[in-house]
Amino acid sequence: MTRRRLRGVLVGALALAMGTGALLAGAGTAGATTGTPTATSGTVTLTARGTGIDDDSPFARVSVDKACPANYQDALTVSLVVPDGRESLLASHLTGGAPYTKAPVTAQVPEASGNGTIVRSIATAFDVASVPVADGTYPIHVTCANADRANFPEHPTFTGFIDVTGDTWQVSGHAAPVATSVRLSADPAHHVQVGKPFTLTAKVAGGVPGAVQFEADNGVTVYDTPVPVVNGVATFQPPANTAPNVRSYIAVFIPADQLAYAQDYSVLSYSFVNAPSVTVTDADGNALGDSPQLTPGQHIKVSAQGFLPQSQEQVLPFVSNALALFAPVATDARGSVTGYDLTVPKLIARGSHTLTLTGLCSFVQVSFTFTTK
């Protein structure tokens, strides 16, 4: 099962081989989302409502002989794959029979749009993609989706085929495509400071020729044209990010021959952090300078930045040469800790000390030195 999702923006170009075939079914592979595959191969059955490419709703029913994977069982989407690998919507938000927890997964497709569902003719799908209708065999993606797409960006997909001839179409008997696999990673790993460069690397298994389309923000941002795979690898350097946040990056592997091989899809959640810094004030809000002298039992407030944003981690304070434990605190949307109320330990040795705040996931550290007597 290829992990794909409906793309609202249809861009990019890759010349792909087209052909005719003879079956009802297709298969794909499990892509990777921040680590764990969520899908396996399955057989798609498409039930035609008519034979005209201008029919408003070409399918009466779609079915897959496998259940949708966990967390992706709320709805189905059906899309046409045009020759350069882009998806164009045929039916969205099919929920009849949901949740799709058991095999077979079956959804009736309405004859017209309504109640949150959009249906389109095959001709309209070509037109939306700005691709002329041409005779040939085309993949059809049946995608499992979560209603919360922001937090569940993967869309595991099963693949079937249709044949288009002139103004008519029919369910294809083309043999199932061979599964492929793409994995996306970033350098530096896990996070990078805002404004600094980073590189995305997509690794394609099995030596399958093709290209990778890099995207961001669940497909809202599509970068340039697909990058050719060379020795199983495609790399891309997106523009530097200007604010601390978390973004999802996507690698869509588009085989050179989409009738022989299935697409695959990988998502990476990547964090952007501020440069580490710390500010300490006394209880009245007055900023403390470098290495101030503090009194055991004194209250201070600590603010720091440079950690993972959006409460992705907790920050743990630690004071050297002191018998004290401090409670961890979660980061805010910008990866900061603001106004943490800390009491200088009463049981603390005289001399110089270091207050260190450590991100428990990122291992980012910021430090502040002070003295006691």
Side-chain angles (χ1 to χ4, degrees), residues 1 3 29-33 35-40 67-72 154-156:
M1 186 186 312
R3 291 162 137 203
T29 64
T33 168
T36 305
T38 63
T40 55
C68 286
N71 297 323
Y72 294 90
E154 287 281 356
H155 295 278

Side-chain angles (χ1 to χ4, degrees), residues 171-186:
V171 174
S172 177
H174 193 278
V178 175
T180 62
S181 176
V182 63
R183 297 293 182 267
L184 181 62
S185 62

Side-chain angles (χ1 to χ4, degrees), residues 239-259:
N241 213 43
T242 58
N245 57 17
V246 181
R247 297 183 70 180
S248 64
Y249 288 92
I250 300 167
V252 182
F253 173 58
I254 307 171
D257 184 351
Q258 290 202 94
L259 301 187

Side-chain angles (χ1 to χ4, degrees), residues 97 291 317 320:
S291 299
S320 62

Side-chain angles (χ1 to χ4, degrees), residues 217-238:
D217 310 320
N218 297 334
V220 173
T221 303
V222 181
Y223 295 113
D224 303 325
T225 56
V227 178
V229 174
V230 179
N231 296 325
V233 174
T235 62
F236 178 72
Q237 189 175 91

Side-chain angles (χ1 to χ4, degrees), residues 111 160 238 313:
E111 295 186 26
E313 68 176 342

Side-chain angles (χ1 to χ4, degrees), residues 48-76:
R49 175 170 275 118
T51 60
I53 64 170
D54 291 309
D55 294 343
D56 290 338
S57 180
F59 305 115
R61 184 175 64 181
V62 295
S63 182
V64 182
D65 69 343
K66 298 290 181 64
C68 286
N71 297 323
Y72 294 90
Q73 299 171 337
D74 295 342
L76 298 180

Side-chain angles (χ1 to χ4, degrees), residues 99-112:
Y100 299 113
T101 59
K102 296 180 179 180
V105 165
T106 299
Q108 304 296 324
V109 183
E111 295 186 26

